[in-house]
Amino acid sequence: MNTKPVFIGVDPAFRAGGFWACILDMSDKTAAFKCFSDVLEFHDWLRSGNSPLSCFVCVENSNMQNKTFDMSGKAAEVARKSRNAGCNMAVSELAYQSAVRRFGKDRAYQVSPKDKGAKYTAAQMGAVLRSDGVTVITKGDNQDCRDAYKIACIARRMALINGKFK
């Protein structure tokens, strides 16, 4: 049983800038952030020699809530927001299914946006990293990176709860 596993937190989105993941390696207590242009690049990376051979993955899956959060505005604006939410739900579900196919359901988890909890501010993120004793080895100073780190920590907690490591 591996006592120092790797955890990947994924905050998927369907947008021009792509989406972020955090690779949290507990063997050396480092966090690396990686941007993926789309879910296909993420899928390919999981199967490449550049991803961890063995790890736990948690994906924020907005499809679990099946909800368009902001219904304000004129009809055309609400329709656009709803389409965007639907795209994000699809990308989230595909990212999760890709992780399940690569690592299996016992190593791939999902969390809803609601269950992920409140977002970290930059100051909170710094405090959490110091508390966890984790060093960031690649720059990741945007909200998506902070969310990805939080999701990687959720993967760690889920693996602990399920008795996957000591």
Side-chain angles (χ1 to χ4, degrees), residues 49-121:
N50 296 322
S51 74
L53 285 175
S54 178
C55 66
F56 296 91
V57 180
C58 186
V59 176
E60 180 180 352
N61 191 345
S62 57
N63 195 46
M64 294 175 76
Q65 282 184 251
N66 194 22
K67 185 175 181 178
T68 301
F69 294 97
D70 183 359
M71 297 297 289
S72 63
K74 295 181 180 180
E77 187 177 359
V78 171
R80 178 189 55 79
K81 290 176 185 177
S82 187
R83 280 191 305 274
N84 290 348
C87 289
N88 283 332
M89 288 177 187
V91 167
S92 296
E93 184 64 27
L94 289 169
Y96 170 66
Q97 291 298 329
S98 180
V100 168
R101 286 186 180 197
R102 170 64 177 90
F103 297 109
K105 280 196 173 212
D106 63 327
R107 289 181 165 263
Y109 308 115
Q110 58 186 333
V111 63
S112 72
K114 179 183 174 191
D115 290 339
K116 180 189 74 178
K119 294 183 177 295
Y120 289 151
T121 65

Side-chain angles (χ1 to χ4, degrees), residues 11-162:
D11 183 23
F14 182 76
R15 62 173 166 254
F19 63 85
W20 288 85
C22 173
I23 299 93
L24 177 60
D25 187 341
M26 296 309 289
S27 68
D28 59 3
K29 293 193 127 190
T30 58
F33 296 97
K34 181 162 179 52
C35 184
F36 296 97
S37 61
D38 56 36
V39 72
L40 295 175
E41 183 184 10
F42 173 71
H43 175 85
D44 291 344
W45 177 79
L46 281 181
R47 287 145 182 82
S48 75
N50 296 322
S51 74
L53 285 175
S54 178
C55 66
F56 296 91
V57 180
C58 186
V59 176
E60 180 180 352
N61 191 345
S62 57
N63 195 46
M64 294 175 76
Q65 282 184 251
N66 194 22
K67 185 175 181 178
T68 301
F69 294 97
D70 183 359
M71 297 297 289
S72 63
K74 295 181 180 180
E77 187 177 359
V78 171
R80 178 189 55 79
K81 290 176 185 177
S82 187
R83 280 191 305 274
N84 290 348
C87 289
N88 283 332
M89 288 177 187
V91 167
S92 296
E93 184 64 27
L94 289 169
Y96 170 66
Q97 291 298 329
S98 180
V100 168
R101 286 186 180 197
R102 170 64 177 90
F103 297 109
K105 280 196 173 212
D106 63 327
R107 289 181 165 263
Y109 308 115
Q110 58 186 333
V111 63
S112 72
K114 179 183 174 191
D115 290 339
K116 180 189 74 178
K119 294 183 177 295
Y120 289 151
T121 65
Q124 289 169 326
M125 176 72 167
V128 169
L129 287 167
R130 284 189 298 281
S131 174
D132 292 348
V134 172
T135 302
V136 174
I137 58 172
T138 60
K139 190 172 183 177
D141 57 2
N142 61 46
Q143 187 62 57
D144 293 330
C145 292
R146 294 191 293 269
D147 288 347
Y149 180 79
K150 187 171 193 178
I151 297 163
C153 291
I154 291 170
R156 183 170 186 248
R157 278 196 307 277
M158 292 174 124
L160 274 167
I161 289 167
N162 291 316

